[in-house]
Each structure stands twice: as C-alpha cells, then as structure tokens.
C-alpha cells in the first residue's frame, strides 16, 4: 500500500506566484521522519527539509516553508515567490523508525512544478 | 554537490548482460542505500548497508546484489538484465549510527542504465 500520497501530478505557475505541494502519509509508528526532496531536470535528488514526528512546529527557511499536521497526516510544502529555477519534481518521503523500516525512505509519486517567466 | 559520487553516469547494455554500479559515500558516512527510479514504479528502496553489513532490504530482485567494502564504498550488481531494468539507480549515504534515529540521506547524481 502506498504510504506517501502526493495527489498533485503537476502544478504550473507564473514566476513570483506561491506554490503549495500537498503530501499525505500513512504510518502506525509514533516515531518517524518526513522529508522533501527536489529533482531538477538534471536528474539529481536534492535534500530540502526534514521533520520528525515529535516536532509539529512549522518553519520558514528562505523561500521554503512547511506545514506539518499530525492530526491530518499531512506535510505540505510551500515555495514563496517562485522562480524559474524552482521548476523540478518535488518528492515527499517518509522514514519510519521501526526495526524493519529503519532508514528506508518511502517516496511519493512526486509533483512536477513548472514555473514560467 | 552532495558529496556522494556514483559511476558510471550512463550505462548502455544488452539484455542478459551483467553490470556493476559503484558508489562512494560522503566522507564519514557509514550507511549506503540504493534506490531505483523507473517510470512505472517511481522511486523504490532496494537495499541498505551499514558499515559493511546488510541492514535492510526492500524490493530488490534476486538477480540484483550489493555489497559494501571496508573503505565503505558500495557496488550494486545487476545480472541477467531485462528491458524492464532500465532505470535511474541512485545511491545515498547517511551518518546513521546504529543506535541513532533516521539520519538525512544525501543522494548521488545517479547512474542511468539503459538495457537494449
């Protein structure tokens, strides 16, 4: 069963618009980590942010911010004032701390973000 | 640049052949992970090694095997290749002390395998 769901396949915006990417996860573990990775057209996977299950404080880092809500099992990610360089596929990932899952990243299907000038 | 290196960058081979993909983790990282990214399956975890020992296994085919050497570099061996094995293969590394909770994984640039 899919443990990480990214319902948005593609989002197209014009430069300077904000973009919010949705991520819903499923786990029975009480300890887990959530991640966002970016895959630009060049193909590499770039780490963006990480959150553990005990810290629901939402933060802002530069143009990136995230909204973690355990009550709805959601970990949404926002890019403020988007730029053309933000065009990429964004992946949400879950890592459960259970003995059988330790270290394994489970990825969503990804959301393609297209930012046009 | 994540500090994780993978070679080769591209690999083109024929069905039935065997290939070896190589990964060098970030300096000081003890854990190495292998992932496969394909159009139909997305990003899938294959296997993890920690300080030379297999730590976790995912959806890895029996035709595939991996190992981590004393210098901590890792190799992923793919044999009896099929057309469906064409994919982007990523290696990632993390500090991951055995007793620690999950550390952030940093990914290499990937090896694109094309099986003809």
């Amino acid at each position: 069963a899919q443990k990480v769901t990214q319902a948005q396949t593609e989002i197209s915006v014009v430069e300077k618009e904000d973009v919010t990417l949705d991520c819903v996860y499923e786990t029975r573990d009480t300890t887990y980590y959530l991640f966002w990775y970016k895959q630009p057209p060049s193909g590499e996977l770039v780490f963006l942010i990480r959150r553990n299950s005990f810290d629901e404080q939402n933060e802002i880092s530069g143009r990136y911010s995230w909204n973690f809500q355990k009550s709805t099992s959601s970990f949404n990610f926002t890019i403020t004032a988007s730029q053309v360089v933000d065009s990429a596929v964004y992946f949400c990932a879950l890592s459960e701390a259970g003995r059988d899952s330790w270290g394994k990243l489970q990825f969503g299907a990804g959301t393609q973000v297209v930012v046009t000038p | 640049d994540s500090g994780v290196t993978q070679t080769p960058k591209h690999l083109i081979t024929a069905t039935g052949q065997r290939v070896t993909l190589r990964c060098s983790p970030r300096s000081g990282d003890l854990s190495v992970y292998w992932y496969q990214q394909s159009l139909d399956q997305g990003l899938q975890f294959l296997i993890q090694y920690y300080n030379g020992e297999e730590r976790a296994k995912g959806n890895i085919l029996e035709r595939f095997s991996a190992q981590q050497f004393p210098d901590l570099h890792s190799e992923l061996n793919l044999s009896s290749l099929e057309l469906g094995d064409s994919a982007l293969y990523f290696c990632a590394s993390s500090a991951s002390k055995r007793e620690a909770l999950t550390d952030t994984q940093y990914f290499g640039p990937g090896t694109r395998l094309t099986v003809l």
Side-chain angles (χ1 to χ4, degrees):
Chain A
Q2 188 73 11
K3 290 208 167 191
V4 179
T5 302
Q6 294 180 254
Q8 304 150 308
T9 305
E10 180 171 326
I11 300 175
S12 293
V13 296
V14 177
E15 214 171 13
K16 295 184 185 175
E17 288 183 343
D18 296 349
V19 181
T20 295
L21 309 179
D22 298 334
C23 174
V24 174
Y25 62 92
E26 179 187 330
T27 180
R28 291 184 179 180
D29 285 2
T30 54
T31 302
Y32 52 91
Y33 285 81
L34 294 162
F35 301 81
W36 279 96
Y37 284 86
K38 171 183 177 180
Q39 187 174 38
S42 51
E44 73 271 25
L45 274 170
V46 179
F47 164 72
L48 295 176
I49 57 173
R50 152 197 162 116
R51 209 80 198 142
N52 73 58
S53 53
F54 296 111
D55 187 357
E56 285 191 75
Q57 182 178 352
N58 297 312
E59 289 187 20
I60 297 173
S61 175
R63 295 187 299 109
Y64 297 153
S65 62
W66 47 96
N67 186 343
F68 175 32
Q69 293 193 346
K70 284 176 77 170
S71 60
T72 55
S73 297
S74 66
F75 184 50
N76 297 337
F77 176 69
T78 297
I79 305 171
T80 302
S82 61
Q83 301 174 2
V84 173
V85 292
D86 296 326
S87 296
V89 180
Y90 290 80
F91 291 95
C92 180
L94 166 70
S95 184
E96 297 164 298
R99 196 158 181 81
D100 294 335
S101 306
W102 190 76
K104 175 174 77 172
L105 282 175
Q106 300 170 83
F107 286 89
T111 298
Q112 172 82 57
V113 172
V114 179
V115 182
T116 52
Chain B
D1 187 351
S2 66
V4 179
T5 60
Q6 288 188 249
T7 56
K9 196 171 173 66
H10 300 280
L11 199 48
I12 301 174
T13 188
T15 54
Q17 294 298 304
R18 173 189 169 94
V19 297
T20 297
L21 312 183
R22 184 189 167 101
C23 167
S24 292
R26 295 185 318 158
S27 177
D29 282 358
L30 299 177
S31 276
V32 169
Y33 311 77
W34 286 96
Y35 291 84
Q36 178 195 59
Q37 185 178 30
S38 62
L39 283 174
D40 52 347
Q41 298 287 330
L43 269 161
Q44 297 276 324
F45 168 75
L46 295 179
I47 197 164
Q48 177 201 358
Y49 279 82
Y50 170 80
N51 204 20
E53 295 180 8
E54 183 183 303
R55 181 62 182 86
K57 233 174 182 177
N59 301 322
I60 186 167
L61 299 171
E62 285 190 13
R63 300 183 286 108
F64 296 1
S65 64
Q67 52 184 329
Q68 186 180 26
F69 295 86
D71 67 353
L72 300 177
H73 91 271
S74 177
E75 292 181 357
L76 179 67
N77 300 296
L78 315 176
S79 61
S80 302
L81 285 167
E82 302 175 0
L83 295 177
D85 297 327
S86 294
L88 189 52
Y89 290 85
F90 285 107
C91 168
S93 76
S94 72
S96 286
K97 294 188 175 71
R98 182 178 285 277
E99 65 277 10
L101 293 177
T102 303
D103 289 328
T104 297
Q105 294 179 31
Y106 294 90
F107 284 76
T111 293
R112 183 166 296 282
L113 173 67
T114 303
V115 182
L116 301 174

